[in-house]
Amino acid sequence: MALGMSKRRTRATALVLAVATIATAVVMGVWRPWIPAAMDAPILAAEDVAMVAPAPLVLPEHPLALVFGDSWTYGSAATEPTLGYAYLLADVLGGETVVNGVRGSGYMKAGVDGPAFGERISALDPTLEPDLVLIQGSINDRLQGAKGYREAVTAAWDDLAAMYSDAPIVVLGPAPHILPVGAETARIDRDLAALAGARGWWYISPVQDQWITEQNYLDVIDVDLGNRHPSNEGHRYLAAQVGAALEELIAAPVTDAGDTELDGSEPDLKQ
């Protein structure tokens, strides 16, 4: 009994100290839940990417989109996974989404309830005929290091392109869960941009486009129960951002490798 009372007193003392620390930080204006550990370095400058001109992004009026990714695609931290951005994207596009998200999964890292991207891609339904494939993420590879990363991405994308050869593939890069963006997250973003550019695939970068900033961080990210995943509001915001980015790609003129405009007309959305 004395031991139990001692533990309770210890927990109570720790709680009081934690609350006092947070209160002091708030008063001093230094509590920033988006700030990572000191080991995270600032974002590095993006490398030059040799781009291959992507094919025009053309979608039918009511597209079927396969959305593949990690916990953000799964819908983590939404009150229901179906309130995640990948599901909400169906209404944004005026179509339907098939969602394949696995928490903790990356190109090199197995997830909580599923394997790494490559193995998951091999298990996708080959009879599905999506009008769009959106492959998202992932920050989950940031602790795996750069060695072998591009090879793992290349192998996974080769299988994805072979399985859905008639569908345009758009890569949605990692979105930061902490600010400033960690060096490894920035490296992943650069690697994916380079590999997508070499294939002539469209690439959307939440990092470079600054979708998440200090100004909107707490509106987008649930730092408490969500363990730094998007909140309901955050998922709605991401769905809108992805939809707007796809609209820009549909309207974007296609350029050759030398950035010479090939066609400035807006393509017809209907196939």
Side-chain angles (χ1 to χ4, degrees):
M1 181 66 71
L3 179 60
M5 292 177 63
S6 176
K7 288 183 178 178
R8 284 195 293 272
R9 290 195 189 102
T10 300
R11 286 196 294 267
T13 301
L15 179 60
V16 170
L17 289 175
V19 171
T21 300
I22 293 173
T24 302
V26 171
V27 170
M28 296 179 66
V30 297
W31 184 61
R32 302 179 192 175
W34 52 82
I35 297 296
M39 68 181 67
D40 284 283
I43 188 169
L44 303 177
E47 66 182 25
D48 291 332
V49 177
M51 297 290 293
V52 175
L57 182 59
V58 180
L59 298 179
E61 185 175 358
H62 302 292
L64 170 64
L66 169 63
V67 187
F68 181 99
D70 58 25
S71 57
W72 291 44
T73 294
Y74 173 87
S76 288
T79 51
E80 296 289 341
T82 53
L83 294 177
Y85 89 91
Y87 295 91
L88 301 178
L89 189 60
D91 287 338
V92 174
L93 296 177
E96 180 183 353
T97 55
V98 175
V99 179
N100 189 305
V102 169
R103 297 169 294 176
S105 181
Y107 287 98
M108 298 177 68
K109 181 179 179 295
V112 174
D113 39 19
F117 278 22
E119 188 175 343
R120 289 172 52 206
I121 287 170
S122 298
L124 289 171
D125 181 4
T127 67
L128 186 69
E129 297 181 353
D131 300 302
L132 169 69
V133 176
L134 182 73
I135 181 166
Q136 170 266 329
S138 170
I139 64 171
N140 294 322
D141 292 309
R142 66 191 186 280
L143 301 182
Q144 310 305 308
K147 184 178 180 180
Y149 179 75
R150 289 196 177 199
E151 291 77 9
V153 173
T154 296
W157 287 2
D158 284 346
D159 290 345
L160 188 65
M163 184 170 293
Y164 302 119
S165 57
D166 293 331
I169 298 176
V170 175
V171 181
L172 174 62
H177 68 304
I178 54 175
L179 295 176
V181 177
E184 282 302 298
T185 298
R187 189 267 304 168
I188 288 170
D189 182 62
R190 293 194 305 274
D191 281 350
L192 293 178
L195 293 172
R199 288 175 180 258
W201 288 1
W202 293 108
Y203 183 74
I204 300 171
S205 175
V207 169
Q208 295 301 320
D209 292 339
Q210 297 186 322
W211 286 9
I212 300 175
T213 65
E214 289 191 7
Q215 286 68 42
N216 70 358
Y217 182 86
L218 292 178
D219 294 326
V220 177
I221 302 298
D222 184 340
V223 299
D224 297 318
L225 296 178
N227 194 24
R228 290 178 170 167
H229 283 85
S231 60
N232 281 358
E233 183 178 350
H235 278 290
R236 288 193 295 270
Y237 170 75
L238 290 174
Q241 289 293 99
V242 173
L246 291 173
E247 285 292 335
E248 289 183 4
L249 298 186
I250 290 171
V254 179
T255 61
D256 62 18
D259 291 331
T260 302
E261 187 174 301
L262 300 179
D263 183 4
S265 61
E266 182 172 334
D268 187 355
L269 298 184
K270 297 183 180 180
Q271 291 181 328

